[in-house]
Amino acid sequence: MSETRNKIRLFEERQVRAIWDEEAEKWWLSVVDVVAVLTGSDYQAARKYWKVLKGRLTAEGNESVTSCYQLKMQAADGKFYKTDAADTEQVLRLIQSIPSKKAEPFKRWLAKVGNERIDESIDPELSIERAIQNYRHLGYSENWINQRIKSIEVRKALTDEWDKSGVKQGEEYATLTDLMSRTWSGMNTREYRQYKGLKKENLRDNMTNMELILNMFAEAAATEISMVEQPEGFNESAKVASRGANAAKVARKQLEKETGKSAVSRLNAKDLGARRLPDGNEGGGG
């Protein structure tokens, strides 16, 4: 496991030890620290609480919470000791298992999110409207929001083609996405996120208008080629994906020749928010 150690603030109150896993692209949080926050107890009391709770949950067959990793985390004495660590999904499940006033806001949030997802499954347009409102709330320009919503439509068309070709969701989707990203931008998805200083954040939400356009061009081109050639299976779809992304690469190279600067930017959403101009355009790329 490739790791970088950090501390993150949970519940806006106390520090919780955490490890960012580069390979899995997720946070692992100290379970005892989370328990201490929820119960308002010190470390030793939280350890005893977790030991009892873990035993009860295991007896109930609740492995989704108790199947924790043992990771070395730094203790108060400066030394590293193995401790139970859970990912964010497990932490949310843990919150539901501990009676605590401090957990109530999170329980209400989980219920709200669950209800929203049910509504969106019935009426997909709601998810688009919610996305638009979220982007506005975060300060994105209307021009960028329009591009981002269009990129979702373009991506959906491509994945529909992959589905028809027999490409499997999950690993094969991710592999083709990496292939296309590497072809047109020179970096796979993880490298691209690192280039922009991101961790788990959505890469497309941190692209400039031009990056979104080039990425859409790659996916739209791959979709058009796929509709004509009707590839079968992953290998044939990979060739089509590469050709579509190469069309975007050619466009990127020509644009960079004309402008004298890279079309692939180090700017992320935070930077773009600071540099956004009144007319909705973003600052230049890196």
Side-chain angles (χ1 to χ4, degrees), residues 139-249:
Y140 288 96
S141 69
E142 291 299 314
N143 184 28
W144 185 94
I145 293 172
N146 290 336
Q147 296 287 5
R148 183 68 180 96
I149 298 303
K150 183 64 179 178
S151 75
I152 295 172
E153 177 186 336
V154 170
R155 173 69 177 182
K156 178 63 166 57
L158 176 59
T159 56
D160 284 347
E161 282 297 307
W162 286 350
D163 288 340
K164 287 195 302 183
S165 300
V167 176
K168 298 176 182 177
Q169 294 189 28
E171 185 175 347
E172 290 190 350
Y173 266 36
T175 300
L176 292 184
T177 301
D178 271 349
L179 169 64
M180 296 186 69
S181 178
R182 188 185 304 109
T183 299
W184 81 259
S185 73
M187 295 175 283
N188 64 30
T189 306
R190 180 178 297 170
E191 292 167 343
Y192 209 155
R193 274 204 289 261
Q194 291 174 341
Y195 182 71
K196 285 179 171 286
L198 308 174
K199 290 189 182 296
K200 192 64 175 175
E201 300 94 329
N202 186 294
L203 176 59
R204 295 166 199 245
D205 284 352
N206 287 272
M207 286 183 171
T208 64
N209 268 334
M210 184 53 62
E211 288 173 303
L212 279 175
I213 291 169
L214 289 170
N215 194 65
M216 279 194 290
F217 183 24
E219 294 187 332
T223 300
E224 290 295 318
I225 297 171
S226 180
M227 291 173 66
V228 171
E229 299 195 358
Q230 298 184 4
E232 295 184 4
F234 174 81
N235 291 334
E236 290 185 12
S237 294
K239 293 177 182 178
V240 169
S242 180
R243 288 163 58 192
N246 190 64
K249 177 183 178 180

Side-chain angles (χ1 to χ4, degrees), residues 10-11 16 29-31 33-39 49-50 53 56-57 62 64-66 86-111:
L10 187 67
F11 307 135
V16 172
L29 289 74
S30 166
V31 175
D33 290 0
V34 173
V35 170
V37 171
L38 292 174
T39 59
Y49 188 103
W50 169 234
L53 177 61
R56 176 172 65 80
L57 293 174
N62 196 341
S64 60
V65 176
T66 58
D87 62 19
T88 50
E89 180 178 354
Q90 289 173 306
V91 169
L92 289 174
R93 290 181 180 274
L94 178 63
I95 288 171
Q96 293 176 307
S97 303
I98 298 177
S100 169
K101 291 182 179 179
K102 297 176 182 179
E104 286 305 312
F106 291 86
K107 291 179 181 178
R108 290 195 296 270
W109 175 76
L110 287 172

